[in-house]
Amino acid sequence: MRYSACGVLATFAVLASAKPGVNQAIMQLEASNSKLLQYPSQFTQGIMPRSIHSHNDYWRDVPLLTALSFGVSSVEADVSLINGTLFVGHESAALTKDRTLDSLYIQPLLQILTKQNPKNAFTANDTGVNGVFDTDSGRTLQLLIDIKTDGVEALPFILTAFQPLREAGYLTTFADGILTQSAVTVVGTGNSPLDQIKALSPRDYFFDAPLTQLTDPSLNTTWDPTLSPLASTDYEVVVGWSGIGDITDQQRANLTKFIGDAHACGITARFWDTPTWPIFARDNVWKALLDGGADWLNADDLEAASSF
């Protein structure tokens, strides 16, 4: 028996129309750009947030957005105040007039959060604020500001720079004895000045506490979430295990002690300067950190961390 090409195509067309199948229905809806598949807060649709810190986030091909695409819940920007402008970059050779704190982080966040918090008849009675993640709208995005220049001089400029997010109610704030979490929690590190941050009232710029000194009375500071949502330290100095061979009892004890100190204060713990290579060693260190109770994976390879 012989079949013509037209006959075969017709047969397939009949079968397709008779039994469309779920995959075909999906393709048809997507191809039609149906409004059934659209909703206001879908910018991060399907992305599950993870407790990963994007170390030197501005090195990404697309700062901030690449991190969000992997569900990263904490990002870091190195900031230098030069002639009244806050530029972003690791060192002076990396700075350009276009890459500023405002252009790389504040304006993109404002645009994203405007999408996540639509103003319409459905939201008229809403009192809360949605964060950047559609799948977990109550989760705050932690934004670390690593001041590279003089911190006392830079702080007023940084506070002014965040005014658009502040006016929209998107910044976590401590005021009148109450800590109100919002979509973005800004934490100063690097040369951020502790005394000036402690004096802020209201406070929407917090301080990255010294993880190894949380119990040091000489600092005359009460470490808690109203001042410091997290505490950080140099992994290489404090722990030093390369991820090759076995971790020593003393190294593990250091790890768990400082994490315990942070948790006793009600704040999270982060270790930076963790090994990045060999990959198996990096993964061993990540596992030891998570097993020890560390709250953040400090990562350069976001894809690897997100699938760890």
Side-chain angles (χ1 to χ4, degrees):
M1 184 179 294
R2 299 179 63 186
Y3 296 93
S4 68
C6 290
V8 171
L9 291 174
T11 300
F12 278 118
V14 170
L15 290 173
S17 62
K19 297 182 179 180
V22 66
N23 290 331
Q24 184 180 6
I26 290 172
M27 289 189 293
Q28 289 173 343
L29 276 170
E30 289 179 334
S32 71
N33 198 29
S34 171
K35 289 187 177 181
L36 295 175
L37 307 185
Q38 301 171 26
Y39 59 96
S41 61
Q42 67 183 149
F43 184 76
T44 50
Q45 180 182 6
I47 298 173
M48 305 304 297
R50 299 163 172 84
S51 296
I52 298 169
H53 175 71
S54 178
H55 175 240
N56 293 343
D57 179 75
Y58 49 86
W59 278 344
R60 314 289 167 204
D61 288 343
V62 182
L64 180 63
L65 299 186
T66 298
L68 294 183
S69 75
F70 286 111
V72 170
S73 299
S74 179
V75 297
E76 174 186 336
D78 287 3
V79 173
S80 297
L81 176 67
I82 301 174
N83 296 327
T85 299
L86 296 165
F87 296 99
V88 172
H90 192 64
E91 53 195 3
S92 58
L95 303 182
T96 77
K97 64 181 180 62
D98 297 312
R99 290 167 63 86
T100 66
L101 179 61
D102 187 68
S103 66
L104 290 182
Y105 291 94
I106 294 175
Q107 291 305 318
L109 280 171
L110 192 60
Q111 293 170 13
I112 293 168
L113 291 170
T114 299
K115 294 177 183 177
Q116 303 305 101
N117 293 274
K119 305 299 182 184
N120 55 43
F122 296 104
T123 64
N125 296 321
D126 287 358
T127 57
V129 171
N130 294 330
V132 297
F133 291 109
D134 182 47
T135 57
D136 189 355
S137 61
R139 180 182 285 239
T140 189
L141 176 72
Q142 184 171 260
L143 173 56
L144 265 64
I145 302 297
D146 187 340
I147 302 179
K148 293 300 185 182
T149 52
D150 182 82
V152 174
E153 181 186 11
L155 182 59
F157 289 86
I158 293 172
L159 294 177
T160 299
F162 278 102
Q163 186 61 22
L165 291 171
R166 182 179 298 113
E167 288 180 350
Y170 294 149
L171 296 182
T172 295
T173 304
F174 177 62
D176 300 323
I178 299 174
L179 181 65
T180 303
Q181 181 172 284
S182 195
V184 180
T185 301
V186 184
V187 182
T189 188
N191 291 332
S192 292
L194 175 58
D195 288 342
Q196 283 73 17
I197 293 172
K198 289 167 69 173
L200 292 175
S201 182
R203 180 186 301 128
D204 54 22
Y205 185 89
F206 299 87
F207 188 79
D208 184 13
L211 183 58
T212 60
Q213 297 176 281
L214 296 178
T215 59
D216 185 348
S218 69
L219 297 182
N220 193 32
T221 299
T222 298
W223 303 108
D224 63 33
T226 68
L227 176 64
S228 298
L230 84 160
S232 306
T233 196
D234 186 336
Y235 170 89
E236 179 61 30
V237 172
V238 173
V239 181
W241 178 50
S242 68
I244 300 173
D246 295 328
I247 187 172
T248 68
D249 291 341
Q250 184 58 58
Q251 289 169 329
R252 192 181 300 279
N254 286 347
L255 187 70
T256 56
K257 175 197 178 330
F258 295 125
I259 292 172
D261 288 346
H263 291 174
C265 296
I267 62 182
T268 60
R270 176 180 71 101
F271 293 84
W272 49 272
D273 194 23
T274 53
T276 58
W277 191 87
I279 299 302
F280 78 89
R282 177 204 66 191
D283 289 353
N284 287 340
V285 170
W286 282 356
K287 185 176 187 305
L289 287 170
L290 294 178
D291 288 347
D295 301 282
W296 297 99
L297 277 187
N298 197 81
D300 292 295
D301 187 338
L302 300 184
E303 183 175 6
S306 68
S307 60
F308 184 69

